Amino acid sequence: VLPQLCVWYGECGVASGDKRYNCAYDGPPIALPEDGYDLMQELCPGLFFGNVSACCDVHQLQTLKNNLQLPLQFLSRCPSCFYNLINLFCELTCSPNQSDFLNVTSTIPYYDPILKENKSSITELQYFIGERFANAMYNACKDVEAPSSNVKALGLLCGKDVKDCNATNWIEYMFSKDNGQTPFSIIPIFSDVPVHGMNPMNNATKGCNESMDDSTGPCSCQDCSIVCGPKPQPPPLPTPWLLFGLDAVYVIMWISYMGFLLIFFALVFGVWCYRRRHFVSEYTPIDSNIAFSVNSHRDNGKITCGERLGERFENGLRMTFTSWGAFCVRNPRPVILFSVVFIAMCCSGFVYVKATTNPVDLWSAPSSQARKEKEYFDTHFGPFFRTEQLIIQAPNSHPSTYSPYPSGADVPFGSPLSKEILHQVLDLQDAIVNITASFDNETVMLKDICLAPLAPYNNNCTILSVLNYFQNSHSVLDHTIGDEFFVYADYHTHFLYCVRAPASLNDTSLLHDPCLGTFGGPVFPWLVLGGYDDDNYNNATALVITFPVNNYYNDSRKLMKALAWEKEFINFLKNYDNPNLTISFSAERSIEDEINRESKSDIGTVLISYTVMFVYISIALGHIQSCRRLLVDSKISLGIAGILIVLSSVACSVGIFSYFGIPLTLIVIEVIPFLVLAIGVDNIFIIVQTLQRDERLQGETLDKQIGRVLGDVAPSMFLSSFSETVAFFLGTLSTMPAVRTFSLFAGMAVLIDFILQVTCFVSLLGLDIKRQERNRLDILCCIKSNEEMSRAQRSESILFLFFKNLYSPYLLKDWMRPIIIALFVGVLSFSTAVMHNVEIGLDQSLSMPDDSYVMDYFNQLSKYLHAGPPVYFVLEEGHNYTSLEGQNMVCGGMGCNNDSLVQQVFNAAEIGSYTRIGYAPSSWIDDYFDWVKPQSSCCRVYNTTGQFCNASVTDPSCTRCRPLTQEGKQRPQGKDFMTFLPMFLLDNPNPKCGKGGHAAYNSAVNFINNKSDVGATYFMTYHTVLKTSSDFIDAMKKARVIADNITETMGIKEKNYRVFPYSVFYVFYEQYLTIVHDAIFNLCISLGSIFLVTTLLLGFEVWAAVVVSITIAMIIINMFGVMWLWGISLNAVSLVNLVMSCGIAVEFCSHVTRAFTVSTKGSRVERAEEALSHMGSSVFSGITLTKFGGIVVLAFSKSQIFKIFYFRLYLAMVLLGATHGLIFLPVLLSYIGPSVNKAKTRATQERTRGTEQERLLYF
């Protein structure tokens, strides 16, 4: 056996600072004094046997222990990795067989002043290491995570990027003098066979999947990929549904349409041939004398019970409205007075009016899941901070190249990372920190409102900026080490180290500057740099600076301070001018500010739009017979009164609901006047134009005439208004606040509008006719005109004549009708086919005006940002963290379950492109276990008081929290767990202990029961970059799936607590998870209610109600087709407009349908022609033209929301409504309209017998 020989023993001379050389010694190993036994057993248990002879003394063991603190904190999560590493250092420092594998190559003389003898200090030696050992050690450590900074631990210990790190360069780096830890050069030589007469150190190693001893397990899956099995794979994308290689829905709709055309044209042709055979001509009836004489032709056949009921109901409505109309004309003053008093009473509710601008209240229901989760998060961890963010580019500077000293590949640096630009950005950052705002005579600065996680020990604000790698200091940025020939280290070196080890307190270059931000937390490179590729942060083309500001849950005063400062921040940046920097920015209040600014700028557009409609209405209502009677026949004052009634009904609706404390929203203010104008003006046109076309009967007074006209048209108005009101009120069943509020206000406004029109407006109409008959001028009613006129003559407008003589007969020609049906069904098939492709969501940038600074910010955001929003996996109160089982369900380190909470989120991050989870979660519980280990110097208490004692304190009375026994090395449980956890959460990181949890986890753990228990806690990570609405929706869906899965595997479902994900955007995007269901629900409810009301009010004409419902359904489906064509997405705004188009569609369809059912003409075609002639012109002038004028103005709005969701949708709504109501519906009725109600025909005959009207009606 070869004799055991040392190469050193004891410490000699100072190398630098507190680092010392070892003394050269070539004798046998020396027995260790007993006061070193504890250290030897703790560090190198493999050498603790016999009389413990070793080549090191107690001082060297102490030095070894201090030097292993940093690797211990990061690698001890995986015991076998740390075991191999400690083996490497123990063999180097103390092995009795040192001379086998250590070779001293350089010494300097040293005089020992205590022993007064000459010695030699070793300044360089060679360490022969087995390649097998080196590779095994590297493989056991390469996957170990550093939980607080989401990177691999080797990235912090290798001096290079993780992907460039391997076994040899890691060991070379640890032994290099340049790393700041090693006092002298140790040159590793790797070989598995003896070299130069030396036997390389090739001790046995442990793989990360092996246990180190009985008390520890193998490393966790997170720290050791072999334990995990194969990497998770994202599921395959769902295969699209195809037929013949095309979208299946398209193919099916095409085939259905072709099938329909075949059958339809076959039927039309068949009927035509039949008529050719049986009739001489299609126009000449067999017996022209009796063909259309109602008396002979239609009276055969008995009247059914349903028909009689319908006739009675119809007659009841007619009689009621007739007598009511006559009453209003006879007593105009009390009616008008009563109306004004009613309006005034309703409007007094304006005193209580409240408007909602808070986006959270607008878009998410208080009972929704995301809203409840937001409340839970805010109450337990404080609300998510407010964000002020800048994205900075340097357009005028160019990328540069950095050549490391003494050797190494050149590193390119992006343009904003030049030193001059960084100095300028730091000046800007300092200027922002010094912005002062005033609120309530107090000055507010960033330091008063910012997030300072280490306060009160350290009041520095959290500033996520690349300059925090240099502690926001010009002098640290300028710090260089070098001589007159070379720069050894400067800001480039420091930057390259910090982006790999953001939590480091000492970069390992010659600078030895910290990377940790001044606020005590790490600054992750993906949050502060933009526009780089992969992980090459040095290629960044943009800098991102974020100032998180405290948000206050229930403290409006503090919140107002933050808002005041943000206002100054925005003003400062709007006026900031530096030609070398291009800045895009946004503050928390920006979006709300811009939406409010936009609403103000849009008021003008909306007013012009209404003015155009007012002018048109007041002119179009009058029917002027000659130029001289212009001022008598015009109906300007009546038109204005009609419009005021419409607006009063909106005001009443707002007033009534304000009484009940229901807040207004922007959508209500913008949409409802539009809707009520469409409906209200239409009714006004119908009343006035029917009266103008009517002729007063002999001996009939004015009040009776207006009563009779009202009896004819009011049931139709009642039908449309009532079905709209019911449809809107049922819309309040929706869960979406925006839709619910709209439906409430709209339903009430339409109802009040109808009531005011059949009272107040009828009285005003009577007064206006009296004025006209007395030849008094419109507006200036005191002045009389000279033009005499006996009494109001029956007059027909040009539009009416056009409809009656040209349009209706032409539209209903036999060859025209099939073409129209084919065309409309074709459009319907197209819309049905593309319906499922309408996008869901609302792009954030659409809510901004075109000229907003926030638009620029949104563009840069999607271009440069590399991390999505933070996402918190919250474990609700109720979990037991003090038991081993409870800990294993959550943690991600050694001994934890393979499906624990942290492990599952880690697995999700592995397939981030699918799950949209970007990084492994930061886990407070894993860092706590590393921190509390007796081997680390983190957890210490004063042995006198039991108080916590920070690792940087040097005091002999500070002792370990837990003993260095097998039991002490286990995880703390029960009472122990709770004793040390508060200490961990108050410990600030320092060079001796980088694991203190104060900055990283201060708010992550919620204590309950007087700090004796852990309540709710969270584990934070980031989403991947999210750009479009569908990205955000998908990210939220996937996060919820992950959280539900964790809840499931933890087996805590029945225990009344769960895991849920929370991110700040969830409340806005949750509506899109159910919006398709919501849209179907709302539109079906509207259609259903319209069907029921129409059935009832048409006198139980079920078939007529079916026809109306079919037409409205077609309009809605075609609206979806237009949305797809025009790129309008489905969201709350467009859903409100769809519900509204249901209402407006009723106007277009119901009047014509009712006119058809009450018509007593012979054939369906004639009844359709009559209905279209009489009602078509009023509907056309009342809705189509009125709206058209108003809509065109909206196209000039500054707001993109207005252009897209209002202009485009309104235009579609009016065009589709008009074409279906005035083209398709009459044709459909002429084919399949309900047959004549015999009871109604008889009643009409009785009423008109012997009058002028009989001649008009039947001949």
Side-chain angles (χ1 to χ4, degrees), residues 110-154:
Y110 169 71
Y111 174 74
D112 186 338
I114 297 165
L115 297 173
K116 297 198 168 44
E117 55 186 63
N118 288 316
K119 295 183 175 180
S120 298
S121 300
I122 297 175
T123 56
E124 186 181 273
L125 88 164
Q126 294 172 326
Y127 186 178
F128 291 81
I129 305 169
E131 271 182 26
R132 184 195 58 74
F133 178 89
N135 290 327
M137 178 174 98
Y138 170 74
N139 288 333
C141 294
K142 67 176 186 216
D143 293 327
V144 179
E145 282 285 317
S148 64
S149 57
N150 293 333
V151 287
K152 298 281 183 222
L154 278 196

Short mmCIF file of all heavy atoms in Angstrom, two decimals, residues 110-154:
data_model
loop_
_atom_site.label_atom_id
_atom_site.label_comp_id
_atom_site.label_asym_id
_atom_site.label_seq_id
_atom_site.Cartn_x
_atom_site.Cartn_y
_atom_site.Cartn_z
N TYR A 110 6.47 32.32 2.76
CA TYR A 110 5.61 32.99 3.75
C TYR A 110 6.25 32.82 5.13
O TYR A 110 6.71 31.73 5.48
CB TYR A 110 4.21 32.36 3.72
CG TYR A 110 3.33 32.81 4.87
CD1 TYR A 110 2.83 34.12 4.92
CD2 TYR A 110 3.00 31.93 5.92
CE1 TYR A 110 2.03 34.53 5.97
CE2 TYR A 110 2.20 32.34 6.97
CZ TYR A 110 1.71 33.65 6.99
OH TYR A 110 0.93 34.06 8.04
N TYR A 111 6.28 33.91 5.92
CA TYR A 111 6.82 33.82 7.29
C TYR A 111 5.65 33.85 8.25
O TYR A 111 4.84 34.79 8.24
CB TYR A 111 7.78 34.98 7.56
CG TYR A 111 8.25 35.04 9.00
CD1 TYR A 111 9.20 34.10 9.47
CD2 TYR A 111 7.74 35.98 9.90
CE1 TYR A 111 9.62 34.13 10.79
CE2 TYR A 111 8.15 36.01 11.21
CZ TYR A 111 9.10 35.08 11.66
OH TYR A 111 9.51 35.10 12.98
N ASP A 112 5.51 32.78 9.06
CA ASP A 112 4.39 32.69 10.01
C ASP A 112 4.75 33.46 11.27
O ASP A 112 5.65 33.05 12.02
CB ASP A 112 4.13 31.21 10.34
CG ASP A 112 2.88 31.04 11.20
OD1 ASP A 112 2.48 32.02 11.87
OD2 ASP A 112 2.29 29.95 11.17
N PRO A 113 4.08 34.60 11.53
CA PRO A 113 4.47 35.45 12.68
C PRO A 113 4.14 34.79 14.03
O PRO A 113 4.77 35.09 15.04
CB PRO A 113 3.66 36.73 12.49
CG PRO A 113 2.50 36.34 11.63
CD PRO A 113 2.95 35.17 10.80
N ILE A 114 3.17 33.86 14.05
CA ILE A 114 2.78 33.26 15.34
C ILE A 114 3.76 32.16 15.73
O ILE A 114 4.32 32.15 16.83
CB ILE A 114 1.32 32.73 15.27
CG1 ILE A 114 0.36 33.91 15.00
CG2 ILE A 114 0.91 32.03 16.59
CD1 ILE A 114 -1.00 33.52 14.57
N LEU A 115 3.98 31.21 14.76
CA LEU A 115 4.92 30.12 15.04
C LEU A 115 6.37 30.54 14.78
O LEU A 115 7.31 29.79 15.06
CB LEU A 115 4.58 28.89 14.19
CG LEU A 115 3.19 28.26 14.45
CD1 LEU A 115 2.91 27.17 13.43
CD2 LEU A 115 3.13 27.69 15.88
N LYS A 116 6.54 31.75 14.23
CA LYS A 116 7.86 32.30 13.91
C LYS A 116 8.69 31.30 13.10
O LYS A 116 9.80 30.94 13.47
CB LYS A 116 8.61 32.70 15.20
CG LYS A 116 7.88 33.80 15.97
CD LYS A 116 8.80 34.48 16.97
CE LYS A 116 8.22 35.75 17.54
NZ LYS A 116 6.85 35.73 17.95
N GLU A 117 8.11 30.81 11.97
CA GLU A 117 8.88 29.93 11.09
C GLU A 117 8.52 30.21 9.64
O GLU A 117 7.47 30.77 9.33
CB GLU A 117 8.63 28.45 11.41
CG GLU A 117 7.17 28.04 11.38
CD GLU A 117 6.96 26.59 11.86
OE1 GLU A 117 7.24 26.28 13.02
OE2 GLU A 117 6.49 25.79 11.02
N ASN A 118 9.47 29.83 8.73
CA ASN A 118 9.23 30.06 7.30
C ASN A 118 8.40 28.93 6.71
O ASN A 118 8.65 27.77 6.98
CB ASN A 118 10.56 30.15 6.55
CG ASN A 118 11.25 31.46 6.88
OD1 ASN A 118 10.61 32.50 6.89
ND2 ASN A 118 12.55 31.42 7.18
N LYS A 119 7.40 29.31 5.88
CA LYS A 119 6.57 28.30 5.20
C LYS A 119 6.42 28.72 3.75
O LYS A 119 6.87 29.80 3.35
CB LYS A 119 5.17 28.22 5.85
CG LYS A 119 5.17 27.74 7.30
CD LYS A 119 3.75 27.62 7.81
CE LYS A 119 3.74 27.02 9.24
NZ LYS A 119 2.37 26.91 9.74
N SER A 120 5.71 27.87 2.95
CA SER A 120 5.42 28.26 1.56
C SER A 120 3.91 28.30 1.38
O SER A 120 3.19 27.42 1.85
CB SER A 120 5.98 27.21 0.59
OG SER A 120 7.38 27.15 0.74
N SER A 121 3.45 29.34 0.69
CA SER A 121 2.01 29.42 0.34
C SER A 121 1.84 28.89 -1.07
O SER A 121 2.58 29.28 -1.98
CB SER A 121 1.53 30.87 0.38
OG SER A 121 1.71 31.41 1.67
N ILE A 122 0.81 28.04 -1.25
CA ILE A 122 0.55 27.48 -2.59
C ILE A 122 -0.25 28.50 -3.39
O ILE A 122 -1.31 28.96 -2.96
CB ILE A 122 -0.23 26.15 -2.47
CG1 ILE A 122 0.63 25.13 -1.74
CG2 ILE A 122 -0.66 25.65 -3.83
CD1 ILE A 122 -0.05 23.82 -1.44
N THR A 123 0.24 28.85 -4.58
CA THR A 123 -0.49 29.83 -5.42
C THR A 123 -1.10 29.18 -6.65
O THR A 123 -1.87 29.80 -7.36
CB THR A 123 0.44 30.97 -5.86
OG1 THR A 123 1.55 30.39 -6.54
CG2 THR A 123 0.91 31.78 -4.68
N GLU A 124 -0.71 27.92 -6.93
CA GLU A 124 -1.32 27.25 -8.08
C GLU A 124 -1.12 25.75 -7.93
O GLU A 124 -0.06 25.31 -7.47
CB GLU A 124 -0.66 27.74 -9.37
CG GLU A 124 -1.34 27.21 -10.63
CD GLU A 124 -0.65 27.68 -11.91
OE1 GLU A 124 -0.99 28.78 -12.39
OE2 GLU A 124 0.23 26.95 -12.40
N LEU A 125 -2.13 24.95 -8.28
CA LEU A 125 -1.90 23.52 -8.30
C LEU A 125 -2.80 22.86 -9.32
O LEU A 125 -3.78 23.45 -9.78
CB LEU A 125 -2.09 22.91 -6.91
CG LEU A 125 -3.46 22.43 -6.42
CD1 LEU A 125 -3.26 21.54 -5.22
CD2 LEU A 125 -4.34 23.59 -6.02
N GLN A 126 -2.44 21.63 -9.68
CA GLN A 126 -3.26 20.87 -10.64
C GLN A 126 -4.08 19.85 -9.88
O GLN A 126 -3.62 19.26 -8.91
CB GLN A 126 -2.33 20.14 -11.64
CG GLN A 126 -1.54 21.08 -12.52
CD GLN A 126 -0.49 20.32 -13.35
OE1 GLN A 126 0.09 19.34 -12.88
NE2 GLN A 126 -0.22 20.79 -14.56
N TYR A 127 -5.33 19.67 -10.35
CA TYR A 127 -6.24 18.71 -9.69
C TYR A 127 -6.66 17.74 -10.77
O TYR A 127 -7.31 18.11 -11.75
CB TYR A 127 -7.45 19.49 -9.13
CG TYR A 127 -8.45 18.72 -8.29
CD1 TYR A 127 -9.55 19.37 -7.71
CD2 TYR A 127 -8.34 17.35 -8.04
CE1 TYR A 127 -10.47 18.71 -6.92
CE2 TYR A 127 -9.26 16.67 -7.27
CZ TYR A 127 -10.33 17.34 -6.72
OH TYR A 127 -11.26 16.67 -5.94
N PHE A 128 -6.25 16.46 -10.61
CA PHE A 128 -6.59 15.46 -11.61
C PHE A 128 -7.94 14.83 -11.26
O PHE A 128 -8.07 14.22 -10.19
CB PHE A 128 -5.49 14.38 -11.68
CG PHE A 128 -4.21 14.92 -12.25
CD1 PHE A 128 -3.32 15.65 -11.47
CD2 PHE A 128 -3.91 14.72 -13.60
CE1 PHE A 128 -2.15 16.17 -12.01
CE2 PHE A 128 -2.73 15.24 -14.15
CZ PHE A 128 -1.85 15.97 -13.36
N ILE A 129 -8.90 15.00 -12.15
CA ILE A 129 -10.28 14.54 -11.86
C ILE A 129 -10.69 13.54 -12.93
O ILE A 129 -10.47 13.76 -14.13
CB ILE A 129 -11.27 15.73 -11.87
CG1 ILE A 129 -10.80 16.82 -10.89
CG2 ILE A 129 -12.68 15.29 -11.51
CD1 ILE A 129 -11.55 18.13 -11.02
N GLY A 130 -11.33 12.45 -12.51
CA GLY A 130 -11.81 11.45 -13.47
C GLY A 130 -12.92 12.04 -14.34
O GLY A 130 -13.81 12.71 -13.84
N GLU A 131 -12.85 11.77 -15.63
CA GLU A 131 -13.89 12.27 -16.54
C GLU A 131 -15.25 11.69 -16.18
O GLU A 131 -16.28 12.36 -16.22
CB GLU A 131 -13.55 11.91 -17.99
CG GLU A 131 -12.72 12.96 -18.67
CD GLU A 131 -12.43 12.60 -20.12
OE1 GLU A 131 -13.22 11.85 -20.72
OE2 GLU A 131 -11.41 13.08 -20.64
N ARG A 132 -15.24 10.38 -15.79
CA ARG A 132 -16.50 9.74 -15.40
C ARG A 132 -17.13 10.49 -14.24
O ARG A 132 -18.32 10.79 -14.23
CB ARG A 132 -16.22 8.28 -15.01
CG ARG A 132 -17.48 7.48 -14.68
CD ARG A 132 -17.14 6.18 -13.96
NE ARG A 132 -16.40 6.39 -12.72
CZ ARG A 132 -16.97 6.86 -11.58
NH1 ARG A 132 -18.23 7.18 -11.56
NH2 ARG A 132 -16.25 7.02 -10.49
N PHE A 133 -16.31 10.84 -13.25
CA PHE A 133 -16.81 11.56 -12.07
C PHE A 133 -17.39 12.92 -12.48
O PHE A 133 -18.50 13.30 -12.08
CB PHE A 133 -15.68 11.74 -11.04
CG PHE A 133 -16.11 12.52 -9.83
CD1 PHE A 133 -16.65 11.88 -8.73
CD2 PHE A 133 -16.01 13.92 -9.79
CE1 PHE A 133 -17.07 12.60 -7.61
CE2 PHE A 133 -16.43 14.64 -8.68
CZ PHE A 133 -16.96 13.97 -7.59
N ALA A 134 -16.60 13.65 -13.31
CA ALA A 134 -17.02 15.00 -13.69
C ALA A 134 -18.36 14.97 -14.43
O ALA A 134 -19.28 15.74 -14.14
CB ALA A 134 -15.96 15.65 -14.56
N ASN A 135 -18.49 14.02 -15.38
CA ASN A 135 -19.73 13.97 -16.15
C ASN A 135 -20.92 13.54 -15.29
O ASN A 135 -22.03 14.06 -15.42
CB ASN A 135 -19.58 13.01 -17.34
CG ASN A 135 -18.65 13.60 -18.39
OD1 ASN A 135 -18.62 14.82 -18.56
ND2 ASN A 135 -17.88 12.76 -19.06
N ALA A 136 -20.65 12.58 -14.38
CA ALA A 136 -21.75 12.11 -13.52
C ALA A 136 -22.21 13.25 -12.61
O ALA A 136 -23.41 13.42 -12.37
CB ALA A 136 -21.29 10.91 -12.70
N MET A 137 -21.25 14.03 -12.09
CA MET A 137 -21.62 15.14 -11.21
C MET A 137 -22.45 16.17 -11.99
O MET A 137 -23.49 16.65 -11.51
CB MET A 137 -20.35 15.81 -10.66
CG MET A 137 -20.64 17.00 -9.79
SD MET A 137 -19.17 17.65 -9.02
CE MET A 137 -18.79 18.97 -10.12
N TYR A 138 -22.02 16.48 -13.22
CA TYR A 138 -22.74 17.46 -14.04
C TYR A 138 -24.15 16.94 -14.36
O TYR A 138 -25.14 17.66 -14.24
CB TYR A 138 -21.96 17.73 -15.33
CG TYR A 138 -22.75 18.55 -16.32
CD1 TYR A 138 -22.96 19.91 -16.13
CD2 TYR A 138 -23.32 17.96 -17.45
CE1 TYR A 138 -23.69 20.66 -17.03
CE2 TYR A 138 -24.06 18.68 -18.35
CZ TYR A 138 -24.25 20.05 -18.15
OH TYR A 138 -25.00 20.78 -19.03
N ASN A 139 -24.26 15.67 -14.74
CA ASN A 139 -25.58 15.12 -15.11
C ASN A 139 -26.54 15.13 -13.95
O ASN A 139 -27.75 15.31 -14.12
CB ASN A 139 -25.43 13.70 -15.66
CG ASN A 139 -24.80 13.72 -17.04
OD1 ASN A 139 -24.93 14.71 -17.76
ND2 ASN A 139 -24.09 12.66 -17.40
N ALA A 140 -26.01 14.94 -12.72
CA ALA A 140 -26.89 14.94 -11.55
C ALA A 140 -27.38 16.34 -11.23
O ALA A 140 -28.41 16.51 -10.58
CB ALA A 140 -26.15 14.34 -10.35
N CYS A 141 -26.63 17.37 -11.68
CA CYS A 141 -26.98 18.75 -11.28
C CYS A 141 -27.61 19.59 -12.38
O CYS A 141 -28.15 20.66 -12.10
CB CYS A 141 -25.73 19.48 -10.79
SG CYS A 141 -25.05 18.79 -9.27
N LYS A 142 -27.55 19.12 -13.63
CA LYS A 142 -27.87 20.04 -14.73
C LYS A 142 -29.34 20.49 -14.76
O LYS A 142 -29.65 21.54 -15.31
CB LYS A 142 -27.48 19.42 -16.07
CG LYS A 142 -28.29 18.20 -16.45
CD LYS A 142 -27.92 17.69 -17.82
CE LYS A 142 -28.88 16.55 -18.18
NZ LYS A 142 -28.22 15.52 -18.92
N ASP A 143 -30.26 19.70 -14.17
CA ASP A 143 -31.68 20.09 -14.24
C ASP A 143 -32.18 20.85 -13.02
O ASP A 143 -33.34 21.23 -12.96
CB ASP A 143 -32.56 18.83 -14.38
CG ASP A 143 -32.35 18.14 -15.70
OD1 ASP A 143 -32.08 18.84 -16.68
OD2 ASP A 143 -32.43 16.89 -15.74
N VAL A 144 -31.30 21.04 -12.02
CA VAL A 144 -31.80 21.62 -10.75
C VAL A 144 -32.32 23.05 -10.99
O VAL A 144 -31.64 23.88 -11.59
CB VAL A 144 -30.70 21.61 -9.67
CG1 VAL A 144 -31.23 22.23 -8.38
CG2 VAL A 144 -30.24 20.19 -9.43
N GLU A 145 -33.54 23.31 -10.51
CA GLU A 145 -34.19 24.61 -10.69
C GLU A 145 -33.78 25.58 -9.58
O GLU A 145 -33.52 25.16 -8.46
CB GLU A 145 -35.72 24.43 -10.58
CG GLU A 145 -36.38 23.87 -11.79
CD GLU A 145 -36.50 24.88 -12.91
OE1 GLU A 145 -36.86 26.03 -12.63
OE2 GLU A 145 -36.22 24.51 -14.05
N ALA A 146 -33.78 26.89 -9.90
CA ALA A 146 -33.68 27.91 -8.84
C ALA A 146 -35.07 28.54 -8.75
O ALA A 146 -35.42 29.35 -9.59
CB ALA A 146 -32.64 28.95 -9.22
N PRO A 147 -35.89 28.14 -7.77
CA PRO A 147 -37.33 28.42 -7.85
C PRO A 147 -37.70 29.90 -7.86
O PRO A 147 -38.68 30.27 -8.44
CB PRO A 147 -37.92 27.75 -6.61
CG PRO A 147 -36.82 27.10 -5.91
CD PRO A 147 -35.51 27.42 -6.55
N SER A 148 -36.91 30.78 -7.21
CA SER A 148 -37.41 32.15 -7.15
C SER A 148 -37.15 32.89 -8.45
O SER A 148 -37.79 33.87 -8.76
CB SER A 148 -36.78 32.90 -5.99
OG SER A 148 -35.40 33.00 -6.23
N SER A 149 -36.16 32.43 -9.25
CA SER A 149 -35.86 33.20 -10.46
C SER A 149 -36.19 32.44 -11.74
O SER A 149 -35.83 32.88 -12.82
CB SER A 149 -34.40 33.63 -10.46
OG SER A 149 -33.57 32.50 -10.35
N ASN A 150 -36.86 31.28 -11.62
CA ASN A 150 -37.33 30.55 -12.81
C ASN A 150 -36.22 30.18 -13.79
O ASN A 150 -36.45 30.14 -14.98
CB ASN A 150 -38.35 31.39 -13.58
CG ASN A 150 -39.62 31.57 -12.81
OD1 ASN A 150 -39.95 30.73 -11.99
ND2 ASN A 150 -40.33 32.65 -13.02
N VAL A 151 -34.99 29.98 -13.29
CA VAL A 151 -33.93 29.54 -14.20
C VAL A 151 -33.25 28.33 -13.59
O VAL A 151 -33.47 27.99 -12.42
CB VAL A 151 -32.89 30.65 -14.45
CG1 VAL A 151 -33.44 31.74 -15.33
CG2 VAL A 151 -32.39 31.24 -13.14
N LYS A 152 -32.39 27.67 -14.37
CA LYS A 152 -31.63 26.53 -13.84
C LYS A 152 -30.54 27.06 -12.90
O LYS A 152 -29.90 28.07 -13.18
CB LYS A 152 -30.98 25.75 -14.99
CG LYS A 152 -31.98 25.15 -15.97
CD LYS A 152 -32.61 23.89 -15.42
CE LYS A 152 -33.55 23.24 -16.41
NZ LYS A 152 -34.77 22.76 -15.78
N ALA A 153 -30.31 26.32 -11.80
CA ALA A 153 -29.32 26.77 -10.81
C ALA A 153 -27.92 26.86 -11.42
O ALA A 153 -27.13 27.73 -11.04
CB ALA A 153 -29.33 25.82 -9.62
N LEU A 154 -27.60 25.97 -12.37
CA LEU A 154 -26.24 26.00 -12.93
C LEU A 154 -25.96 27.32 -13.65
O LEU A 154 -24.81 27.73 -13.76
CB LEU A 154 -26.02 24.83 -13.90
CG LEU A 154 -25.66 23.48 -13.27
CD1 LEU A 154 -25.10 22.55 -14.32
CD2 LEU A 154 -24.65 23.63 -12.14
#
